[in-house]
Amino acid sequence: MDNYFDNTSMIQTVLKWKWHIIIITLVAAIFGAIFSGSMFITPLFKSEATVYPTHIEEYSDETITEQMLQIMQSQQIMDSVVDKFGLLEHYKIEKSYKYWKTALIGEYRSNVSISRTPYDAVTIKVYDSDPEIACAMVYEIVNQYNLIIEKLTKTQRGEQARMFKSTLKDNEIFLDSLRERLTTIGTEYGIVDVTSQSREITRAYLNNGKSDKLNELKENLETYGPEVNIINNLLEYASENYHKTKYDFERETRYCANNISFANMVSNPFVADKKAYPIRWVVVALSALCACFISILVIYVIENKKRFVK
């Protein structure tokens, strides 16, 4: 076996048949150039975009980039793109074919690539025989993603807005009841400011300014003063809670009312002016190398057949 694969013998064989090997290699390169042409292989043009998710929240343990990736790869978006661009006819798939759905999905998946980058962005690559369709499909995938996220977000935020609105109404009723009670105490018992009025009554007593009206106000302060303090504290807390809830309600309402983009496109697709597939020089080079290697191997085996048999 060692003698059979002797390097010296192989070099001698290659030199002996060099012109044959060169001709076979050149012929293979020519055939590679011919069969990689548009007559035999449909040229494909590539359109690509890089997008980052924005203005969305995480729904689970997945990151927002992973959520974007799953949605863009979903059947829903694929169906929308297929319908808009008539890909069944564009890919020349007959609906009478028994497995046309499988063929359509396979063709779509082979021409549309959606993947995550190392920097938590999502790259969309579309290959098509028509460069304008390839570019338009990239935009449509991003557009469909926006529509899906907008629907999900508005549904979720609409529910939150309704919840905040209900809370606001309850807070308003509670605040009105507190203010009404303060008004009643102030009107009927003359208590407006417990601290200042207590100070004035104390000063009046120290100055021997006793009177029936002063005694009555003192008794009212002793009876209703603690309640007024409690109501004032409740009013402060309830007002803060009301303003916070109002801010949340207005924020959710703005999200529902405005049209927001949920995909920040940092690299826009464009209509390609040069095909991306097949790469002709690669096909020619591989054809030539394979033909050269196989021809050398076959010639060497034939030249050493007798020695190999022995």
Side-chain angles (χ1 to χ4, degrees), residues 9-229:
S9 176
M10 180 172 284
I11 293 171
Q12 290 173 351
T13 302
V14 171
L15 291 174
K16 179 181 177 181
W17 296 89
K18 63 182 178 180
W19 292 113
H20 297 79
I21 295 171
I22 291 172
I23 291 171
I24 292 171
T25 302
L26 288 175
V27 170
I30 292 170
F31 275 104
I34 293 172
F35 287 103
S36 63
S38 58
M39 291 182 62
F40 297 94
I41 300 177
T42 302
L44 298 178
F45 298 85
K46 182 179 77 169
S47 194
E48 180 178 356
T50 302
V51 295
Y52 279 95
T54 183
H55 297 133
I56 59 176
E57 299 176 354
E58 296 180 6
Y59 292 105
S60 61
D61 293 335
E62 297 175 336
T63 64
I64 55 176
T65 303
E66 291 170 338
Q67 291 170 6
M68 171 182 268
L69 190 62
Q70 286 194 351
I71 292 172
M72 285 188 171
Q73 291 175 338
S74 67
Q75 185 73 31
Q76 183 178 350
I77 287 185
M78 190 194 80
D79 290 342
S80 298
V81 174
V82 167
D83 290 340
K84 180 168 184 176
F85 295 97
L87 294 184
L88 191 66
E89 294 78 14
H90 184 65
Y91 291 151
K92 298 178 181 179
I93 300 173
E94 297 292 337
K95 214 165 186 180
S96 58
Y97 176 52
K98 183 179 180 180
Y99 304 107
W100 67 269
K101 287 186 178 179
T102 302
L104 176 61
I105 293 172
E107 191 72 22
Y108 179 89
R109 298 298 184 195
S110 65
N111 291 328
V112 178
S113 170
I114 304 173
S115 58
R116 179 179 178 177
T117 71
Y119 305 103
D120 278 340
V122 171
T123 298
I124 307 166
K125 297 179 183 178
V126 176
Y127 294 84
D128 198 88
S129 57
D130 188 331
E132 292 186 358
I133 289 180
C135 182
M137 283 176 64
V138 175
Y139 277 113
E140 183 60 20
I141 289 171
V142 176
N143 179 54
Q144 288 297 323
Y145 168 80
N146 270 321
L147 291 175
I148 291 173
I149 294 298
E150 182 181 17
K151 183 178 179 181
L152 291 173
T153 301
K154 285 189 175 181
T155 300
Q156 181 186 25
R157 291 189 178 274
E159 292 175 355
Q160 291 178 343
R162 286 189 292 272
M163 179 189 68
F164 288 133
K165 186 176 181 180
S166 176
T167 304
L168 274 177
K169 188 175 181 181
D170 293 339
N171 285 348
E172 287 174 355
I173 293 172
F174 182 60
L175 284 169
D176 288 342
S177 66
L178 292 177
R179 294 190 186 105
E180 185 179 349
R181 179 58 179 163
L182 277 181
T183 302
T184 300
I185 294 174
T187 303
E188 295 183 1
Y189 306 105
I191 300 175
V192 178
D193 187 329
V194 175
T195 303
S196 61
Q197 286 180 310
S198 297
R199 188 183 304 116
E200 292 300 324
I201 290 173
T202 302
R203 186 179 296 113
Y205 268 96
L206 291 175
N207 294 327
N208 296 318
K210 297 179 181 180
S211 66
D212 293 338
K213 188 175 181 180
L214 189 63
N215 289 332
E216 182 183 358
L217 181 60
K218 178 178 177 297
E219 291 177 0
N220 289 340
L221 276 172
E222 292 173 349
T223 304
Y224 298 102
E227 183 181 356
V228 170
N229 287 331

